[in-house]
Amino acid sequence: MDKILEAVVMSSYPNNVKQGLVRRVIEAAKQPMDSEQCWSMLELSTKLYLTGDTKYKREIGKEVLEVYGHYHPEEFEEFFNVRFLLSLLQEGYGPLGKRSHYILDYIQLGLQFILESPSANSIFSLLRIEVLRKVCERPSPKQCAKISRLLVQHPQCIPSGKHQLLFCQQLIRCIGHFQCASEREEDIMEFLEQVNKVSGLLQRIWRTQTSAILPSLKELFTIISSTEEQEAPSNALASVVQFVPLELMDSVIRNLTNDDSITDVQMMTAIGRMIDWVSWPLGKNIDKWIIALLKGLAAVKKFSILIEVTLSKIEKVFSKLLYPIVREGALSVLQYMLLSFQHSHEAFHLLLPHIPRLVTSLKKEDSNSATSSLEQLAELIHCMFFRFSGFPDLYEPVLDAVKALPIPNEDRIKHLLGQNAWTSQKNELACFYPRLASKSETGKIGLINLGNTCYMNSIIQSLFMASDFRHSVLNLTEGNSQPLMTKLQWLFAFLEHSQRPAISPETFLSASWPPWFTPGAQQDCSEYLKYLLDRLHEEEKTGKRIYQKLKESSLMSQAVEHHYLNKTLIEKMFGGKMMTKIRCLKCMNVSSREEAFTDLSLAFPPPDRHVPGSKSVCPQFIEPSENPSQLTGSPWIQRKASMAEDPTAPPVLGEMWGLQEPRGATRSLSGDAVGVGAAKDPLSSLGGQAPKDSRSVPDLINYFLSPERLTAENKYHCERCASLQEAEKVAELTEGPHYLILTLLRFSFDPRTMKRKKILDNVSIPVVLKLPILATPEETEEVCQRGKDGAAVPGSGFTSVVYDLCSVVVHSGISSESGHYYCYSRECTDTIPHGDRLPKAASDKQEGVEIQWYLFNDTRVSFSSFESVSNVTSFFPKDTAYVLFYRQRAGRQSCLLHEALAEAGHLHGEPSLHKDLMEAIARDNILYLQEQEKEARNRAAYISALPKSPLWWRDFDRDKDDDNSSGGCSPAAGGGGSGSFHGLVF
């Protein structure tokens, strides 16, 4: 019968004819027959099953085996013996030998017929040893899956005792070697099914033997933490973790993070490879294990590992949001990585170029998964905006991408940031603060934030960019008996000459710290600036004199020379004078008092009042009238808030210019020339349009200088009347400072909340500002002869002094007790041709456009523009200008100081530092180079240990270039077509 069957199978008849003949042979086999015939048929069917070159032949062999197993059990048991099986497992079968792929399937098929036989136990015992040996030989995923199927169907064959533990460990090592050899989608799906079968076997073993779980996990960690392997272990290991009971997570993580035998490099390698598992499509709870390990590392303060891993892996995790099949887990890991990385903006900024493209892809996908992910991503982005404000140029494209998505409230943001931080102790991360490889491309140096010290950093950078002040400070001689000014000199010198990308202002902070400030808390930068300037002024004023390396002009009169020599540096640079006049409305007596100032605090007009700023004349003091009824039209009677209502009221006081003035226009301050030299729309030169109710800096100056009525509880005590009387008060500027500091009073106390609230009104900032200064008739006449930069109204007693914007300190936030400060700055100087006596102002084009703006945000310094300064509040409503620095352009009132500064600059060039300071900078630069070398070696050791993932960006490039393909963003594609799916998983 075996000969007949073999002839039929090997014949060239059609399969349907063969099938009929085979069916007859199989039916005949169900009848009783002798043992020899049975053996012949079993040998033939074994040959067909194991060596058949077609599926049809193997199916015939299987059918015959099953018939003889059912109808001839004794013969089958005798044939299917231990010796035969051992030979199959160790030597293979026929000409293929060990290359036969169906031996395990053959054994699994035969086992069902000998389960009750006396030889079953010996066969099971053999298989328990042989499957362990097979696994140790690292079989392919397909063979491993066959072993798993065999053992799941016949658990009696699973190794027991110590061998069982070894089997689990070796099976995990097998999974670590799994690789999918093909990129075809059907092959990938088959590979995933094979991995699932193998990991399912581990789950079955762990359910019955929980004692095998921890040793198995230890073996898993050994594999993923190894730094000696040439190739990274397979991501298929993620399938193992999903079956570990979550109740074991805490103890497992605690043991790992507290194991002193695990080096930092091994731990970083392991967590890096685990993070790669987010791309495994069939894993459950993988994100929970990754986050748990990250939290465990934070708990034992392994911050260097967390930083390196986050910066190297966060972009790859982010790219996986393109794929619906792994999106949920990837988003969970991304959220924790970003929300916990709060000591630096580096991780978030790595994602900025990719966010708009991802948002576009998710919107195009239009699925529930995409919609939910977009909302969570937008919440995450706004948390990062809140935590790392001060980067408007970088954030603008991202803000535009998510503008239509919901914005979380501040309480929600603070909750998310608070519950995910690595540590509540900011000083624990101090040593990690700047991780900048080199100095900014701007050539400028940043300042390290020492824990909510951005208020100081912004002020220091603004003062440093005030070049006249900086040069004067750097020119100080050694032993000047001014300790605080000396510390400022050292800080400026390091900002000028250090090779570091950012330096620590710790020494200066401790010396200039206002005693009422709370350590670690956010403070008011304006309050700090006032305290700092006052300290520096008083220090010099009380006898600790500065030796000025300025050669005073021989034309300077002794009286003027004495006047300037008696001024402190703060008075010379920031000091101005203001006359306050009060007129009693009963007797018309006028009292006046002159006082010095270093800044002007500008209040906002009431919300229902608007002070226009397009007109500009100088105020004229009105002498007492014989007839009190004639006071009706006097500016003394006008209240601040009524100036916009009364057409008979005098024009306003300040004036602003745009970036450029029309050629030939005159900047007259007369009422007949209104609008000729002023930009009515402060944003017109930028191509924008100011909001109808928006305010400008001149508006606030006009409000500051406009008359104020003193009534009710604010009545004035008139000495002539010897009683309280209603009065009018007006302020007049009598001397303009070289650097004009304007503080916009944005913070007011709210009695309902008992907190200081912030006025978020957008204020247009002119790049050029005219300020009315009271002048003597002689000065007025001389200034009028000088030309456009020093205009005056004949007979008014006022001259217009021109100022150029040089710094803007921005506050980001909604209260003075929180938020963040950063500043925009540029260096404003006068153009000084050789041999000229007076400096010449830069051209209008240069002052507005060509002079480079910089953005200083703690350690980060970048190029910026006046357009960014002007539009920052439009894009980021909580980011508002707070303190402004203007530099006076050369004119009559300032010519002596300008000339002295110009002469000093011509004679000395860049300030020369004294020997000790130069040596300190040189030593620190050498130290920095040594630190860089050491860090480079350490980072090389860390980075070389991290798994390589060089092609992660293809996820974005593919989506960008192929809008019509199913791609990774199509929900129907389940993560993309064959190419993208392979890129996702492997």
Side-chain angles (χ1 to χ4, degrees), residues 74-231:
E74 292 180 2
E75 288 78 4
F76 187 89
E77 181 183 349
E78 185 180 354
F79 177 83
F80 199 78
N81 58 64
V82 172
R83 183 177 298 177
F84 174 60
L85 295 182
L86 181 61
S87 173
L88 283 179
L89 290 168
Q90 292 189 354
E91 299 173 13
Y93 182 87
L96 292 176
K98 292 184 178 180
R99 290 179 289 118
S100 177
H101 300 297
Y102 302 102
I103 291 175
L104 291 170
D105 304 273
Y106 176 81
I107 292 174
Q108 182 180 347
L109 176 65
L111 282 176
Q112 60 183 312
F113 303 112
I114 55 93
L115 294 177
E116 304 298 330
S117 69
S119 62
N121 287 334
S122 59
I123 292 176
F124 294 153
S125 179
L126 168 69
L127 290 176
R128 282 196 287 269
I129 296 173
E130 285 301 309
V131 293
L132 176 57
R133 183 184 61 78
K134 280 280 186 185
V135 168
C136 290
E137 292 176 352
R138 304 288 179 267
S140 66
K142 187 173 185 179
Q143 290 299 307
C144 234
K146 289 182 177 182
I147 292 174
S148 299
R149 271 199 305 269
L150 170 64
L151 298 183
V152 167
Q153 185 173 351
H154 302 288
Q156 308 94 321
C157 301
I158 297 176
S160 57
K162 293 181 179 180
H163 286 171
Q164 185 178 82
L165 180 57
L166 180 61
F167 177 77
C168 291
Q169 293 173 328
Q170 292 301 317
L171 198 59
I172 290 173
R173 286 205 170 269
C174 279
I175 298 174
H177 285 85
F178 284 178
Q179 297 295 334
C180 185
S182 170
E183 293 190 7
R184 293 167 48 201
E185 188 165 346
E186 54 268 29
D187 292 334
I188 293 173
M189 297 306 297
E190 182 183 4
F191 174 75
L192 293 176
E193 184 180 356
Q194 291 164 358
V195 174
N196 247 15
K197 288 188 184 307
V198 178
S199 58
L201 172 62
L202 279 172
Q203 180 190 24
R204 184 185 182 98
I205 295 173
W206 289 347
R207 280 178 179 173
T208 56
Q209 295 292 332
T210 56
S211 60
I213 297 178
L214 293 181
S216 300
L217 290 181
K218 186 175 181 180
E219 186 71 18
L220 173 64
F221 186 82
T222 300
I223 296 169
I224 63 175
S225 64
S226 173
T227 58
E228 299 174 358
E229 299 289 338
Q230 291 289 333
E231 294 184 2

Side-chain angles (χ1 to χ4, degrees), residues 90-378:
Q90 292 189 354
E91 299 173 13
Y93 182 87
L96 292 176
K98 292 184 178 180
R99 290 179 289 118
S100 177
H101 300 297
Y102 302 102
I103 291 175
L104 291 170
D105 304 273
Y106 176 81
I107 292 174
Q108 182 180 347
L109 176 65
L111 282 176
Q112 60 183 312
F113 303 112
I114 55 93
L115 294 177
E116 304 298 330
S117 69
S119 62
N121 287 334
S122 59
I123 292 176
F124 294 153
S125 179
L126 168 69
L127 290 176
R128 282 196 287 269
I129 296 173
E130 285 301 309
V131 293
L132 176 57
R133 183 184 61 78
K134 280 280 186 185
V135 168
C136 290
E137 292 176 352
R138 304 288 179 267
S140 66
K142 187 173 185 179
Q143 290 299 307
C144 234
K146 289 182 177 182
I147 292 174
S148 299
R149 271 199 305 269
L150 170 64
L151 298 183
V152 167
Q153 185 173 351
H154 302 288
Q156 308 94 321
C157 301
I158 297 176
S160 57
K162 293 181 179 180
H163 286 171
Q164 185 178 82
L165 180 57
L166 180 61
F167 177 77
C168 291
Q169 293 173 328
Q170 292 301 317
L171 198 59
I172 290 173
R173 286 205 170 269
C174 279
I175 298 174
H177 285 85
F178 284 178
Q179 297 295 334
C180 185
S182 170
E183 293 190 7
R184 293 167 48 201
E185 188 165 346
E186 54 268 29
D187 292 334
I188 293 173
M189 297 306 297
E190 182 183 4
F191 174 75
L192 293 176
E193 184 180 356
Q194 291 164 358
V195 174
N196 247 15
K197 288 188 184 307
V198 178
S199 58
L201 172 62
L202 279 172
Q203 180 190 24
R204 184 185 182 98
I205 295 173
W206 289 347
R207 280 178 179 173
T208 56
Q209 295 292 332
T210 56
S211 60
I213 297 178
L214 293 181
S216 300
L217 290 181
K218 186 175 181 180
E219 186 71 18
L220 173 64
F221 186 82
T222 300
I223 296 169
I224 63 175
S225 64
S226 173
T227 58
E228 299 174 358
E229 299 289 338
Q230 291 289 333
E231 294 184 2
S234 171
N235 282 351
L237 287 169
S239 64
V240 175
V241 176
Q242 66 180 328
F243 296 123
V244 180
L246 292 179
E247 54 265 25
L248 296 178
M249 181 182 290
D250 288 343
S251 61
V252 169
I253 298 299
R254 189 165 52 251
N255 290 336
L256 277 178
T257 54
N258 288 281
D259 190 341
D260 294 334
S261 66
I262 300 173
T263 66
D264 284 358
V265 172
Q266 289 175 319
M267 182 61 77
M268 186 165 61
T269 303
I271 186 62
R273 286 168 173 165
M274 284 183 67
I275 290 173
D276 287 342
W277 292 350
V278 297
S279 61
W280 185 255
L282 301 176
K284 297 176 182 177
N285 300 326
I286 294 173
D287 56 322
K288 293 183 176 65
W289 280 95
I290 294 172
I291 293 171
L293 184 52
L294 292 173
K295 288 182 175 179
L297 291 171
V300 295
K301 299 179 173 48
K302 296 284 188 178
F303 300 128
S304 58
I305 296 176
L306 291 167
I307 290 170
E308 293 291 349
V309 168
T310 301
L311 294 179
S312 64
K313 292 296 182 182
I314 195 165
E315 290 175 282
K316 184 173 184 180
V317 173
F318 182 81
S319 72
K320 300 310 170 187
L321 298 183
L322 287 167
Y323 304 97
I325 197 170
V326 297
R327 183 176 293 152
E328 183 179 355
L331 186 56
S332 295
V333 175
L334 179 72
Q335 283 176 323
Y336 179 76
M337 292 175 84
L338 275 183
L339 291 172
S340 61
F341 202 94
Q342 294 187 29
H343 72 288
S344 167
H345 55 258
E346 291 174 274
F348 178 51
H349 285 192
L350 286 174
L351 305 181
L352 293 179
H354 314 303
I355 291 175
R357 231 184 301 171
L358 175 68
V359 171
T360 301
S361 297
L362 292 178
K363 287 180 178 177
K364 194 186 301 181
E365 182 181 315
D366 192 27
S367 65
N368 291 336
S369 168
T371 302
S372 173
S373 298
L374 271 175
E375 292 177 355
Q376 294 178 68
L377 183 62

Side-chain angles (χ1 to χ4, degrees), residues 398-458:
V398 177
L399 185 67
D400 186 61
V402 301
K403 62 185 178 184
L405 299 170
I407 301 175
N409 60 44
E410 188 168 336
D411 289 340
R412 170 66 175 167
I413 290 174
K414 289 180 177 178
H415 171 72
L416 289 172
L417 291 172
Q419 71 176 8
N420 288 286
W422 285 338
T423 173
S424 60
Q425 304 299 318
K426 293 186 176 66
N427 60 337
E428 291 182 341
L429 287 165
C431 59
F432 300 104
Y433 271 107
R435 279 189 27 120
L436 304 174
S438 60
K439 190 186 289 189
S440 163
E441 61 181 353
T442 64
K444 304 296 182 183
I445 297 174
L447 289 170
I448 297 173
N449 191 315
L450 302 173
N452 280 329
T453 58
C454 53
Y455 66 91
M456 179 190 71
N457 291 349
S458 298

Side-chain angles (χ1 to χ4, degrees), residues 681-714:
D681 183 351
L683 297 181
S684 60
S685 58
L686 300 174
Q689 184 174 359
K692 184 177 180 181
D693 297 326
S694 69
R695 303 191 185 278
S696 66
V697 171
D699 288 343
L700 303 187
I701 295 177
N702 294 338
Y703 184 64
F704 177 82
L705 295 177
S706 61
E708 178 183 4
R709 177 172 292 220
L710 305 178
T711 61
E713 296 180 354
N714 293 326

Side-chain angles (χ1 to χ4, degrees), residues 5 13 17 264 313 315 330 398 418 461 490 495 544 572 664 667 695 777 793 798 864 957 960:
L5 178 61
Y13 294 129
V17 175
D264 284 358
K313 292 296 182 182
E315 290 175 282
V398 177
Q461 295 285 20
W490 279 63
L495 284 174
K544 301 169 184 178
K572 291 176 184 178
R667 294 179 183 147
R695 303 191 185 278
V793 180
F798 284 85
S864 191
D957 294 338
K960 177 181 68 174

